[in-house]
Amino acid sequence: MTFLTWVAIIANVLIISIILLLILTFLFFRFKDAGQNQHSVLRNFPVLGRVRYFLEKIGPEIRQYLFHNDNEGRPFSRKDYLAVVLAGKYKSRIGGFGSQRDFTQPGFYINNSMFPLQSTEIDVDQSEQIHTQIYEVEEDTIFTRKEHQEKKTVDPYLIPKEQGVTIGQDLQYPHTFQRLIGQSAMSYGALGKNAIKTLSIGIHDAKGSWMNTGEGGISPHHLHGEADLIFQIGPSLFGVRNLDGTFSEELYKEKVALNNVKAVELKLGQGAKTRGGHVEGEKVTEEIAEIRNVEPFKTINSPNRFEFIDNSHELLHFVQKLRELGQKPVGFKIVVGNIDDIKQLVQAMKETNIVPDFISIDGGEGGTGASYQELEDSVGLPILTALPIVDMMLTHYGLRERTKIISSGKLISPDKVAIALGLGADLIQVARSMMMSVGCIMALQCHTNECPVGVATTNPKLERGLVIEEKRYRVTNYLIALSEGLYNVSAAVGVATPTQINASHIAYRNEYGEVANGYEYKAKLWQTIRQRTES
């Protein structure tokens, strides 16, 4: 037989085999699904129904990569995601042709000066250069992309220390931040050890920034890179609790005495986590259980508030107790919802003369490792509304100069950071963009322990996908890129450092095309608040 004859025979056999396989598959599912009563579509269309479920399963990925345009997609668009990745890999934020923003929609803008500052006129600390690695592209075609890392020495873009943001001035151990952007709360357990280690190293190397430990306690992985830490304590008191779950002064003093710990944050609420923290039992390894002093492999549901704190006065007295025990700055994290609660809190500060060293505000759009839909979507005000409310309430009662405001909630780019600074923030915390910098692809699997890139998982097989020595530089580059971009904005509005950005540099354009500067926007908002709280 000739070669072509053999090909024809093999082709016929394959075709017949495929037809028989399809027939058997149809018959198998036809009889299998005929008796089940859970899925109507499978009872009537056993094969096509399974095709439907398959497409439904992969739908989010298909939409993300093929059908959403660059400005669509939630919680972050493709444009947002690429901005973080490009800054981390290439320390680049440059685009071409023009903005993809929809300028017909209402939103915030930045008021540029007609006579911006030159690079020689900005006030920046470039004295200590940073050694990093940045990707260089060799070839970029439709089917191939070749690139390699090169060692680079770059400018740090730090705020001069004398102009930095200081918290805890009246304590024995105050701290000054020379970078206005740091990592928001992410616990070891919610994130795997490789992710935490990578962030710790990258943040330390960037200098001037900080790492918030999340409510899961201080792990050896947080300390791995010697980054400055804000030690977060949640309602479950992980890391500072006795075996019965009560607060331990001894453990607190032990933790806060660590040199890396620069401040302490009590978590009252955190964006979508208003319900309290949640970690699936399979993520609670023996190591994590030891750090938190809980049972291993048992699901953790933290209370949504401290059981021994029922009102603002008790909160402030606990803050003062922690300040005295550790002599380091102490603040708390809140989500703004009920305006009357904010008013009562600030009034309590005035009455007790106890003012926290900082207040962290998370917007309702803030991220979470796991929460319920109703809390994710509708509980808590967005950050650009919540932030000025707290700022103005503190100003009204004459307390604004005695505390700092740390803002978070999708503030992942220099322009968004600048807008938050103009509306009242002193410092900015970001979480999900830091996850992106270490490899997060927005697979939305944070709560399942099945993160495909090894970021939000404690599964060793998946964690191995995250290579610390490669991703650490992306964290460093992203933070530097944010700070450099922030200096670009401050120069554009005519001030020497980002700390000088204020409400006059911000504008809000409504749906009718009317424009108000930041002060006018805040004044209108304050008028509404006063009418509501005084009625």
Side-chain angles (χ1 to χ4, degrees):
M1 287 188 291
T2 65
F3 173 74
L4 291 177
T5 303
W6 278 110
V7 171
I9 292 172
I10 293 172
N12 287 329
V13 170
L14 287 174
I15 291 171
I16 293 170
S17 299
I18 291 171
I19 292 172
L20 288 173
L21 181 63
L22 290 174
I23 292 172
L24 290 173
T25 301
F26 175 81
L27 292 174
F28 172 78
F29 286 124
R30 185 66 184 173
F31 287 107
K32 178 179 184 294
D33 293 322
Q36 62 85 30
N37 54 19
Q38 183 178 2
H39 302 288
S40 299
V41 68
L42 293 181
R43 286 172 64 87
N44 293 332
F45 304 97
V47 176
L48 291 178
R50 291 186 181 276
V51 172
R52 173 188 177 274
Y53 287 127
F54 170 74
L55 294 174
E56 186 178 59
K57 181 70 174 178
I58 66 172
E61 289 80 7
I62 296 296
R63 287 189 292 274
Q64 179 181 359
Y65 290 106
L66 297 180
F67 294 108
H68 280 156
N69 69 42
D70 286 349
N71 286 316
E72 291 178 328
R74 295 289 184 271
F76 293 97
S77 69
R78 189 73 182 166
K79 178 174 175 288
D80 291 332
Y81 174 76
L82 287 176
V84 174
V85 172
L86 294 177
K89 289 189 70 174
Y90 312 106
K91 207 174 79 63
S92 172
R93 301 175 318 285
I94 296 176
F97 201 65
S99 173
Q100 296 184 48
R101 177 175 181 174
D102 185 351
F103 289 94
T104 65
Q105 296 299 312
F108 287 94
Y109 293 85
I110 296 170
N111 292 327
N112 60 293
S113 170
M114 189 176 293
F115 305 101
L117 299 186
Q118 299 289 325
S119 59
T120 55
E121 297 175 295
I122 62 173
D123 198 354
V124 60
D125 181 359
Q126 308 282 37
S127 58
E128 190 175 355
Q129 298 286 282
I130 292 177
H131 303 290
T132 185
Q133 293 188 21
I134 296 173
Y135 274 93
E136 296 288 341
V137 179
E138 301 173 29
E139 182 182 1
D140 189 8
T141 66
I142 295 176
F143 298 106
T144 62
R145 182 178 181 84
K146 294 182 180 179
E147 56 188 358
H148 66 276
Q149 280 183 313
E150 285 193 4
K151 294 181 179 180
K152 298 283 186 179
T153 301
V154 300
D155 291 328
Y157 282 90
L158 293 173
I159 307 289
K161 191 156 189 177
E162 62 276 10
Q163 298 182 43
V165 177
T166 301
I167 54 175
Q169 295 95 325
D170 59 336
L171 295 171
Q172 186 176 351
Y173 304 105
H175 185 70
T176 298
F177 297 102
Q178 285 188 263
R179 201 177 293 284
L180 302 187
I181 305 149
Q183 180 207 294
S184 191
M186 291 191 287
S187 302
Y188 173 51
L191 267 58
K193 61 180 181 295
N194 283 5
I196 296 291
K197 286 180 179 178
T198 303
L199 290 165
S200 179
I201 298 170
I203 291 169
H204 169 267
D205 290 351
K207 307 183 190 304
S209 189
W210 70 95
M211 180 183 198
N212 192 310
T213 65
E215 67 170 333
I218 301 174
S219 73
H221 314 301
H222 286 104
L223 301 171
H224 180 81
E226 299 185 356
D228 289 341
L229 302 178
I230 293 181
F231 173 32
Q232 188 183 77
I233 302 173
S236 285
L237 301 171
F238 296 133
V240 294
R241 55 184 271 159
N242 296 308
L243 290 175
D244 61 0
T246 56
F247 177 67
S248 169
E249 291 189 12
E250 291 72 22
L251 286 175
Y252 174 79
K253 288 190 286 187
E254 175 186 317
K255 296 293 193 303
V256 81
L258 293 171
N259 184 56
N260 296 91
V261 175
K262 304 303 180 183
V264 176
E265 178 183 85
L266 300 176
K267 190 192 84 168
L268 274 71
Q270 183 181 349
K273 270 191 177 176
T274 307
R275 66 181 288 259
H278 174 84
V279 182
E280 289 294 331
E282 60 184 333
K283 297 180 76 172
V284 186
T285 63
E286 291 181 354
E287 180 190 23
I288 292 169
E290 182 179 355
I291 293 167
R292 300 188 178 199
N293 203 14
V294 296
E295 293 183 42
F297 305 109
K298 184 176 180 181
T299 296
I300 302 171
N301 283 301
S302 305
N304 59 6
R305 68 173 181 84
F306 292 87
E307 294 180 354
F308 53 90
I309 297 177
D310 292 325
N311 53 62
S312 296
H313 285 78
E314 291 178 353
L315 169 64
L316 295 173
H317 284 297
F318 189 54
V319 166
Q320 185 61 20
K321 177 180 179 178
L322 297 185
R323 294 176 85 241
E324 293 171 354
L325 285 173
Q327 285 298 309
K328 289 185 177 180
V330 179
F332 47 77
K333 188 171 192 176
I334 61 173
V335 174
V336 176
N338 190 324
I339 309 301
D340 288 327
D341 286 348
I342 303 301
K343 180 178 180 180
Q344 291 170 15
L345 172 63
V346 178
Q347 286 177 332
M349 294 181 198
K350 190 78 172 179
E351 293 167 6
T352 61
N353 199 32
I354 300 174
V355 181
D357 297 297
F358 62 92
I359 301 173
S360 295
I361 307 169
D362 201 356
E365 68 271 55
T368 174
S371 191
Y372 299 114
Q373 171 273 321
E374 61 272 18
L375 299 181
E376 284 186 325
D377 290 347
S378 301
V379 174
L381 293 173
I383 189 60
L384 297 183
T385 300
L387 169 60
I389 288 174
V390 176
D391 174 64
M392 291 184 293
M393 194 71 74
L394 289 166
T395 301
H396 178 72
Y397 284 93
L399 301 174
R400 184 63 182 89
E401 298 303 316
R402 295 179 59 184
T403 189
K404 304 299 182 186
I405 294 178
I406 304 177
S407 176
S408 61
K410 299 179 71 172
L411 305 173
I412 67 171
S413 59
D415 54 326
K416 293 177 181 177
V417 170
I419 290 168
L421 294 175
L423 291 178
D426 298 293
L427 298 164
I428 306 296
Q429 291 188 139
V430 290
R432 284 172 291 181
S433 59
M434 298 296 278
M435 291 172 65
M436 294 176 202
S437 72
V438 296
C440 168
I441 60 171
M442 299 193 295
L444 309 182
Q445 299 297 312
C446 304
H447 61 297
T448 67
N449 206 36
E450 298 296 330
C451 174
V453 291
V455 177
T457 178
T458 57
N459 183 331
K461 293 181 180 179
L462 294 173
E463 279 189 295
R464 65 181 295 275
L466 199 165
V467 180
I468 296 172
E469 284 304 311
E470 191 270 337
K471 295 295 192 293
R472 57 178 284 192
Y473 297 108
R474 299 197 192 193
V475 177
T476 301
N477 295 338
Y478 173 58
L479 283 172
I480 296 172
L482 279 178
S483 297
E484 183 178 359
L486 197 52
Y487 263 102
N488 286 345
V489 173
S490 62
V493 303
V495 296
T497 68
T499 56
Q500 298 171 342
I501 294 174
N502 59 47
S504 69
H505 302 127
I506 308 301
Y508 182 78
R509 176 185 176 277
N510 68 17
E511 61 269 32
Y512 305 108
E514 300 168 337
V515 178
N517 70 29
Y519 286 116
E520 294 167 337
Y521 170 83
K522 292 171 72 174
K524 188 173 182 179
L525 182 60
W526 179 242
Q527 182 181 8
T528 302
I529 292 169
R530 293 198 65 178
Q531 290 173 349
R532 174 179 170 179
T533 57
E534 292 175 3
S535 61

